[in-house]
Amino acid sequence: MYRFFMELETIVLDWLGKAIGLPEEFLTFSEKASKNIDSVRNDDSETEIHNGIGGGVLQSSASECIFVCMLAARAQAIKRLRKLHPFVEEGVLLSKLMAYCSKESHSCVEKGAMMAFVKLRILEPDENNSLRGATLRQVMEQDEAMGLIPFFVSTTLGTTSCCSFDNIPEIGLVCQQFETVWLHVDAAYAGSAFICPEFRSLMNGVEYADSFNLNTNKWLLTNFDCSCLWVKDRFKLTCALVVDPLYLQHGYAGAVDYRHWGIPLSRRFRSLKLWFVLRTYGISGLQKYIRHHCQLAKRFERLVKSDNKYEVLNDVKMGLVCFRLKDDPTNKLNKKLLETINESGKLHMVPSLVHDKYVIRFCVVAEHATEEDIDYAWKIIKETAVTVLYNEQELTEKREEQVDEVFELSERKKKDDLAYRRSFFVRMVSDPKIYNPIIARSSPGSRRHTHLSSMDDDIHDPLSTSTNDTEDTMTQPASSWISWPLAFLFQGVFDDKEGSNDVPVRHLATKMHFKSKSKSPEHLAIEGNKSRRNSPVFPRKSSYVKTENESNIQK
């Protein structure tokens, strides 16, 4: 039974390989095998069937196909480098390996490089999202000049984002110039369409490839999982994955053992469901199915282009159409449109980026889809778009109103603040008590200022002197509160030869202390009396008695 499972997998993969037009080097049984291991004669015809070195295997997904091929390419590269550098450690050789792929390649290539511990260089495609040979050659030559070793190139036929196609003929010629490079072609989606002869021109150059994969569970009516992988040399693949302990050995020597073709040792019987699909629909039935889907995609493309609110951003060759609303630089409208449609449950689509623009991917996948289904889908999209645009317009108007109100309030507040500051500055210059109420406290001998507010009288000024001590009053320098512009003008006016100007500035209000030039108590008394008589702050006393010293001085 185990041998039957393996033989059926080999047979159905050869059937499908021939159906999509793969070169015979990828088949297990071919009429023109380059290297013959064994040969048998077909009883139904005189054709001699050769057992070649190529072959196919069913994997769980395209990600596993790419990862397995990367491991095989890595093993082949290290094997060759060991011969050239026998004394270099394998870890050093591994650090020199470099893989390549396009920016439009599936993320599984990057993930495979991470798991294989190799470097990966992601290249920019052209304006049609196609990787070109000139771009690859330039980068590979630069890396080789830096001591790196190119060993693996992953190309794509039918990218996930927009179903674009890399230029395989150009890339294949470039890879031929490097001995250690393994060229892999990933046709997970578009590969199923190659069953139609009119689409096979898109796979030109596949003869340069070392491996090729497609997913029948994507577009060929087969249940998941069923990914087909073909290689030109199966021994290069198995050399990297063979583990053959005694408990896994069997008596079928020389038979194809698929446990050496992938990561798991135990495998599912995937070939039976693919056999049922091929036998049920036949080649003509599958071709009709693929062509019908492509026609429906073209119909949807025409509907999108008929409305000038939308645009199509990919070249529709298969069943995928990438479209979006125009005039949406922030991609907000298209995101909201897609979210609203998916939440409704009437359609399901996924987003992608094409030329750095957010697009919605419409892919025909239903087996029995009709033109009425396409028209219905377009009707749902248009109705949802009208609702989204209307809601967005209302939100925009509300935001503009709120912004206008906030702007008006802000401008009004600025004007009020400016008017208040101007008024405050004028009053502050003329009356410094506005800025600092402490200055309203009268100095010694200024009890005549009864017009000061009670608040100012209650403020305690630690710099004040006692008003009851006559001697302190006599020794206290005459002082007067003035505004700061006058204090600035008075600087340097009352300087003496022995000291500097004593004009303390407190904030924007200034208290001026005018020093005298007295050198003895008598002079202090005389000058104090003069200051008391002339000061605008200290009141004149009605009864004034001259001292003896003052009389002598006057005489």
Side-chain angles (χ1 to χ4, degrees), residues 491-510:
Q491 289 185 6
V493 175
F494 300 99
D495 291 347
D496 56 8
K497 297 181 181 180
E498 298 180 359
S500 61
N501 181 26
D502 186 14
V503 184
V505 178
R506 188 187 310 176
H507 300 290
L508 296 179
T510 305

Side-chain angles (χ1 to χ4, degrees), residues 10 13-14 17-18 20-30 32-34 52-57 182-185 203 205-213 229-234 261:
T10 303
L13 283 168
D14 274 9
K18 292 178 180 179
I20 64 175
L22 277 179
E24 291 189 358
E25 290 84 358
F26 288 96
L27 306 179
T28 304
F29 303 103
S30 62
K32 297 178 181 179
S34 57
I53 62 174
V57 61
W182 180 298
L183 176 59
H184 177 75
V185 177
M203 63 184 300
V206 71
E207 62 273 8
Y208 296 109
D210 295 283
S211 55
F212 179 92
N213 77 275
L229 171 66
W230 290 270
V231 293
K232 275 186 177 180
D233 191 344
R234 62 175 179 265
W261 290 56

